[in-house]
Amino acid sequence: DAGSSVEEMEFNWDEYLEDTGAIAAPHGSFKHVDTSLQNGFAPGMKLEVAVKSDQNTYWVATIITTCGQLLLLRYDGYGEDRKADFWCDILTADLHPIGWCEQNKKVLKVPEGIKDKIPDQEEFLQRVLKGACSAPANLLEGLHRGKNPLDLIAPGSRLELQNIRDSLEAWIVNVVENVGGRLKLRYEGLEDLDKFDQWLFYLDPFLHQVGWAAQHGYSLQPPLAIRSLRSEADWQEILKKVKEEEEESSVPTNLFKDKPVIGVHSFSEGMKLEAVDPMAPFVISPATVLKVYNDKYFMIEMDDLRGERASSQRYVCHVNSAGIFPVQWSLKNGLHLSPPPGYPGQDFDWADYLKQCGAEAAPQSCFPSLTSDHGFKENMKLEAVNPVDPEEVCIATVTKLKDSYLWLQLEGSKKPVPECIVSVESMNIFPVGWCETNGYQLRPPRKAIVNKQKKIAVVQPEKQILSSRTVHDGLKNQELNSSDSVVINGKYCCPKIYFNHRCFSGPYLNKGRIAELPQSVGPGNCVLVLKEVLTLLINAAYKPSRVLRELQLDEEAAWHGHGETLKAKYKGKSYRATVEVVRTADRVADFCRKTCIKLECCPNLFGPQMVLDKCSENCSVLTKTKYTHYYGKRKNKRIGRPPGGHSNLEVAMKKPNKRRKRRKHFFVHKKKRSSTSVDNTPAGSPQGSGAEEEDDQDESELSHSLAQDRDKRKRKLRTFSFSDDENKPPSPKDTKMEVAEKLQLDSNPLEWSVADVVRFLKSTDCAPLARIFLDQEIDGQALLLLTLPTVQECMDLKLGPAIKLCHHIERVKLAFYQQFAN
């Protein structure tokens, strides 16, 4: 039938978001998912690792990044040098907690590569291990080795579940299925009877490890709904069997260390409040505190004024339970309060109702304070459990927000469902892509926007990739190099990206809009997380199209990452460009820093490090007008230029806007369409009625300028005596001779254009740096002003390459003074 054919086709979130014009809810808004991705290891932990060159010796290493069962490590002593970083598979590598070598009489010995940096091994170890956190021994050895803690809740594991109808009782449940921490649970003793199965996230406050009930004074009793299915003797026999097999089926207690702590409540029996029925969370209605069990739990009953009711809707709550509100909360928030069944008339009045019932309203102090500080906004998309059929996870749209609550419209459910009300901290909502990552069927919309053709994975020679549909099957055909992209067991590998709102936002980004961004994005798949981060930055710009232009991929640059198409809207026009993002977690920090520098903002504005009090870059002293003196890719061509004589400089000084406008030629092209093409839009071109008016003028100006520059080159015919082939770097031997020889210049460096500077650099052993000079538009005058501190700060070079580059710059300076200074 039509429905089944839709499900057979592959749903594509990217296409769906593009066609609906919506954006995905940020990954950082789903705290329970964030917690579930932690694998027990954390960056900064230390462990003892076998040295590759000598397997009989070990050395201390620090965890740089975690990715499923893989750890990116760096031997202590390498400092900030990432070149020696290496991936280790926990299952196969020789890894141990700190202290293992001493206990097992193994040798700790400094690796050869850093021997000269560590003259005193004992003193060094005492210093680096003081106050250090060792990697957990139970995750490096024994049955749990290499397993993500969440995966220890395997099918067949047993837990205890509190009875939502009577919190002082609990019963054992079996894990039937574990989908990314969302557990399908079956009561012990029901074997294959799935009628009473429940789906709960493993961090649910009512779910515990076996033995919890006895420790806290609760009785182990099967719920009333299933108690009649077996005799009392049978239930006791089942309980005895569970206790005998407790060790085999138990789940480690540390899995529940991140569960929400249940606080003390102050409700009393008979108090009235407003509530959402968790079994049918579609309306807010009056409710009553029916029973108080202790200082942690109480029971709520939905009010029903009908004389004869089939069954009352009642459930157990605690002080942080979602969906309970003080009286008049709906009225204050402009929401409809549904009168209780049997209430005369439709105009419900709390004052009359309380008087009629002879009851008091629960005071405001009984309820936790609600916050609007989350990442959700109207029209955002996410994935959500259907409350009517918990087997279904559907596409959901945020239609309304009030304090800490979302109104969600579910799409694609087998039966139409009204808008449901959920807390922003609900464990039944998930980020876009969660189902695909965990190999679970997402219900597509009825009018599905899907790929017309099946995706074909192209495997390049000697390098295989792991498709997203099989990530949950484990690590397959992956190389353990730090540069490879690895996704294991359906888990993400990119760290959280923090937006450090206090940092300097630079000339492109609007400080007010930056302040509205979520505190963090991720963790998640590197490409998806970074794409989300860049999209948020583009939308936070004064001119989104301009930021998109700054970020777009230089077609001539070396390809090191993954090309993603990003979009921007500005003044009613749509723009798109291909932006390069990195694919592996170890390159994320460098990518974020370089992107910040591109946008001329503080290098710490966003990245995997959270700025707590004061930014290490001291960016608080900066203003947008002072900024290019400290940061930014344009500062080199502005610092201390000698006056007069340079045509490019004169144009820039007289017409400061021309240079900025001319760059648009590389970003915006006129849109070309043909009758046979679906989309011939070039990268960066506007979608719609045409480009901005100034772009046509810029194009003609650029063509004229390029023609003039070409004519000038023909007239001057600048050549260099030190290189005949600009694209062929000299051999090491030639380079050494060139360095020793005195440099003879055929033209004055003050008159060199950017192209001349690039041509000169390509003739030296610093040829790879020519791209930086081209990007930063450093001409001859700027070249003569460069010093070692300037090169290090502006070009983000390490000391070695910076010294080598400055050596060539000094040769040019010397030749200039000797040949042209007079």
Side-chain angles (χ1 to χ4, degrees):
D1 57 23
S4 62
S5 64
V6 167
E7 289 191 22
E8 285 173 7
M9 301 181 76
E10 185 181 351
F11 173 77
N12 186 295
W13 259 117
D14 284 337
E15 291 181 14
Y16 181 71
L17 291 174
E18 181 178 345
D19 282 24
T20 56
I23 61 172
H27 281 263
S29 296
F30 304 87
K31 294 185 178 66
H32 60 298
V33 176
D34 190 357
T35 302
S36 73
L37 298 175
Q38 298 172 8
N39 67 353
F41 296 96
M45 286 182 175
K46 295 186 183 293
L47 60 167
E48 295 173 355
V49 188
V51 178
K52 289 184 178 180
S53 57
D54 184 358
Q55 292 294 324
N56 295 319
T57 65
Y58 296 79
W59 189 240
V60 176
T62 301
I63 298 174
I64 305 300
T65 301
T66 67
C67 181
Q69 69 191 48
L70 295 186
L71 303 177
L72 182 63
L73 303 177
R74 183 184 303 164
Y75 286 121
D76 282 15
Y78 276 98
E80 297 301 314
D81 186 1
R82 296 182 302 167
K83 292 179 182 176
D85 291 2
F86 58 98
W87 286 103
C88 275
D89 186 334
I90 303 166
L91 286 174
T92 58
D94 198 357
L95 309 175
H96 305 280
I98 296 298
W100 180 86
C101 284
E102 186 178 355
Q103 294 170 7
N104 292 274
K105 295 183 172 49
K106 298 291 183 180
V107 179
L108 275 174
K109 184 179 177 183
V110 183
E112 288 294 329
I114 49 175
K115 220 171 188 179
D116 55 341
K117 296 183 180 180
I118 305 175
D120 188 335
Q121 176 176 313
E122 293 301 320
E123 185 274 334
F124 176 82
L125 286 175
Q126 285 182 5
R127 178 161 47 86
V128 299
L129 294 179
K130 185 178 181 181
C133 177
S134 172
N138 67 312
L139 295 179
L140 289 171
E141 301 165 349
L143 294 174
H144 297 164
R145 179 179 178 181
K147 289 189 177 181
N148 186 299
L150 184 59
D151 295 333
L152 299 179
I153 311 178
S157 299
R158 289 190 177 110
L159 297 165
E160 288 182 1
L161 177 62
Q162 280 178 265
N163 187 348
I164 198 170
R165 303 295 181 190
D166 187 343
S167 77
L168 298 184
E169 292 181 353
W171 188 242
I172 297 96
V173 286
N174 271 294
V175 177
V176 178
E177 194 174 351
N178 179 355
V179 180
R182 188 167 181 255
L183 310 178
K184 186 176 184 180
L185 304 170
R186 182 169 300 163
Y187 286 117
E188 185 72 39
L190 297 190
E191 278 82 30
D192 296 329
L193 184 62
D194 61 1
K195 180 182 176 182
F196 300 96
D197 287 359
Q198 297 183 55
W199 282 93
L200 287 176
F201 204 74
Y202 80 104
L203 296 173
D204 190 285
F206 286 87
L207 198 58
H208 312 278
Q209 71 272 19
V210 172
W212 176 89
Q215 292 171 11
H216 293 82
Y218 293 81
S219 63
L220 273 177
Q221 290 285 343
L224 279 174
I226 66 169
R227 199 172 295 177
S228 61
L229 298 178
R230 288 182 177 271
S231 67
E232 183 61 30
D234 287 342
W235 290 121
Q236 290 304 318
E237 189 63 32
I238 289 169
L239 200 54
K240 181 182 176 183
K241 179 187 174 187
V242 168
K243 289 181 179 178
E244 290 173 354
E245 299 174 354
E246 187 173 333
E247 286 189 13
E248 299 173 19
S249 60
S250 63
V251 172
T253 55
N254 63 352
L255 270 175
F256 301 97
K257 62 183 173 62
D258 296 313
K259 276 177 54 173
V261 177
I262 297 176
V264 175
H265 73 81
S266 55
F267 287 94
S268 300
E269 288 183 10
M271 284 182 174
K272 295 285 185 182
L273 65 156
E274 297 180 2
V276 175
D277 183 351
M279 303 304 171
F282 310 121
V283 296
I284 304 173
S285 303
T288 304
V289 178
L290 186 66
K291 186 176 180 180
V292 173
Y293 294 101
N294 50 33
D295 62 356
K296 288 192 175 181
Y297 299 104
F298 55 97
M299 178 175 280
I300 279 181
E301 182 178 53
M302 306 303 294
D303 285 3
D304 191 336
L305 305 181
R306 293 173 295 185
E308 295 180 3
R309 44 188 172 170
S311 62
S312 59
Q313 296 298 323
R314 55 180 66 173
Y315 54 95
V316 174
C317 289
H318 50 83
V319 68
N320 293 318
S321 286
I324 56 174
F325 314 98
V327 162
Q328 304 286 15
W329 186 81
S330 296
L331 181 64
K332 290 175 182 176
N333 286 278
L335 301 169
H336 176 68
L337 180 71
S338 295
Y343 183 82
Q346 290 298 313
D347 297 328
F348 181 83
D349 182 81
W350 261 115
D352 290 343
Y353 186 63
L354 289 172
K355 188 175 180 180
Q356 175 188 337
C357 298
E360 63 171 328
Q364 179 72 49
S365 58
C366 289
F367 300 88
S369 57
L370 300 178
T371 175
S372 56
D373 184 21
H374 48 75
F376 295 101
K377 293 181 180 178
E378 284 188 15
N379 297 319
M380 279 185 171
K381 301 286 185 180
L382 58 145
E383 298 176 5
V385 174
N386 181 352
V388 176
D389 183 0
E391 288 274 350
E392 288 187 353
V393 179
C394 304
I395 293 168
T397 305
V398 179
T399 59
K400 186 162 51 184
L401 298 98
K402 293 294 177 184
D403 292 329
S404 301
Y405 288 85
L406 309 173
W407 274 250
L408 299 179
Q409 182 63 61
L410 303 185
E411 303 175 40
S413 55
K414 292 176 184 174
K415 296 179 181 178
V417 179
E419 284 186 356
C420 48
I421 305 167
V422 300
S423 164
V424 295
E425 296 182 350
S426 168
M427 297 184 193
N428 282 328
I429 58 175
F430 304 95
V432 161
W434 183 85
C435 279
E436 181 185 7
T437 301
N438 291 285
Y440 195 76
Q441 173 65 49
L442 174 70
R443 294 290 304 176
R446 285 183 175 80
K447 294 181 179 178
I449 298 167
V450 295
N451 287 335
K452 302 299 183 209
Q453 297 176 336
K454 292 267 187 181
K455 286 187 177 179
I456 300 173
V458 179
V459 182
Q460 296 178 349
E462 298 182 354
K463 186 166 184 178
Q464 294 175 296
I465 61 173
L466 193 63
S467 75
S468 62
R469 306 200 79 180
T470 59
V471 292
H472 58 284
D473 292 334
L475 180 63
K476 292 183 180 178
N477 304 320
Q478 290 287 349
E479 300 171 2
L480 301 185
N481 297 323
S482 62
S483 60
D484 284 341
S485 175
V486 184
V487 182
I488 303 172
N489 295 331
K491 301 300 181 289
Y492 302 123
C493 62
C494 181
K496 264 189 183 180
I497 303 298
Y498 293 95
F499 289 105
N500 296 307
H501 300 126
R502 296 181 182 179
C503 288
F504 181 69
S505 58
Y508 295 117
L509 303 175
N510 185 315
K511 182 71 173 176
R513 292 177 190 165
I514 289 291
E516 294 174 358
L517 296 181
Q519 185 180 19
S520 63
V521 173
N525 175 280
C526 276
V527 172
L528 295 179
V529 170
L530 294 177
K531 185 178 178 182
E532 182 177 341
V533 167
L534 295 180
T535 300
L536 289 170
L537 289 172
I538 290 167
N539 293 334
Y542 290 108
K543 294 182 178 180
S545 56
R546 186 175 172 190
V547 169
L548 188 61
R549 179 175 69 240
E550 294 295 326
L551 296 176
Q552 82 164 340
L553 181 69
D554 184 347
E555 292 181 1
E556 296 179 6
W559 185 274
H560 298 296
H562 177 83
E564 279 291 320
T565 300
L566 296 184
K567 299 175 184 178
K569 288 188 177 181
Y570 182 61
K571 291 186 176 179
K573 299 183 178 68
S574 296
Y575 298 81
R576 68 167 65 193
T578 300
V579 175
E580 183 181 15
V581 295
V582 296
R583 292 174 289 188
T584 55
D586 57 303
R587 299 180 61 201
V588 167
D590 188 52
F591 171 83
C592 291
R593 186 175 181 87
K594 287 182 177 177
T595 303
C596 286
I597 292 172
K598 274 186 182 180
L599 299 180
E600 301 184 27
C601 56
C602 172
N604 290 332
L605 180 67
F606 63 93
Q609 295 297 323
M610 181 190 291
V611 174
L612 297 175
D613 297 318
K614 190 175 180 183
C615 174
S616 60
E617 302 286 340
N618 196 27
C619 65
S620 60
V621 303
L622 301 178
T623 64
K624 293 191 192 299
T625 53
K626 292 179 180 178
Y627 184 69
T628 50
H629 181 70
Y630 296 93
Y631 295 108
K633 52 185 176 291
R634 293 187 176 85
K635 75 176 184 179
N636 288 350
K637 58 180 180 179
R638 297 280 186 265
I639 298 176
R641 283 198 168 155
H646 196 291
S647 59
N648 286 352
L649 181 63
E650 289 169 5
V651 169
M653 294 297 288
K654 290 178 183 177
K655 301 177 182 178
N657 291 331
K658 285 290 177 69
R659 178 168 293 200
R660 187 178 295 170
K661 283 186 176 182
R662 280 165 55 184
R663 295 182 66 189
K664 290 187 179 179
H665 173 79
F666 301 100
F667 169 70
V668 180
H669 303 275
K670 290 182 179 178
K671 192 170 185 179
K672 297 178 182 178
R673 288 192 178 275
S674 67
S675 58
T676 58
S677 175
V678 175
D679 186 4
N680 275 340
T681 313
S685 61
Q687 295 173 307
S689 58
E692 299 174 62
E693 292 179 5
E694 61 186 354
D695 297 322
D696 295 332
Q697 180 184 351
D698 295 339
E699 192 171 339
S700 60
E701 286 177 1
L702 182 66
S703 302
H704 180 66
S705 174
L706 290 174
Q708 283 185 327
D709 194 43
R710 217 167 24 245
D711 294 341
K712 183 178 177 182
R713 287 234 183 98
K714 287 179 181 177
R715 286 197 302 271
K716 300 207 77 166
L717 290 174
R718 294 193 183 113
T719 56
F720 299 94
S721 59
F722 45 76
S723 178
D724 296 326
D725 184 358
E726 67 180 64
N727 293 317
K728 181 181 178 183
S731 67
K733 185 177 178 182
D734 295 337
T735 303
K736 190 171 182 181
M737 289 176 62
E738 174 194 316
V739 169
E741 291 174 359
K742 180 180 175 182
L743 186 64
Q744 290 292 325
L745 302 178
D746 291 343
S747 60
N748 190 338
L750 278 177
E751 298 177 353
W752 285 4
S753 67
V754 175
D756 296 329
V757 172
V758 169
R759 192 176 297 113
F760 164 71
L761 282 172
K762 285 187 174 180
S763 70
T764 70
D765 57 351
C766 289
L769 302 179
R771 168 59 56 190
I772 300 176
F773 281 68
L774 182 62
D775 289 343
Q776 299 194 14
E777 301 180 32
I778 298 175
D779 57 15
Q781 291 190 33
L783 179 73
L784 295 177
L785 291 168
L786 293 179
T787 62
L788 181 60
T790 312
V791 164
Q792 279 188 281
E793 182 185 357
C794 303
M795 298 184 180
D796 201 22
L797 295 180
K798 291 185 179 177
L799 185 60
I803 290 174
K804 187 186 292 186
L805 173 63
C806 286
H807 174 73
H808 293 296
I809 295 172
E810 291 302 317
R811 294 176 66 225
V812 175
K813 289 181 182 178
L814 180 62
F816 164 74
Y817 286 121
Q818 290 177 340
Q819 294 180 240
F820 302 100
N822 295 326

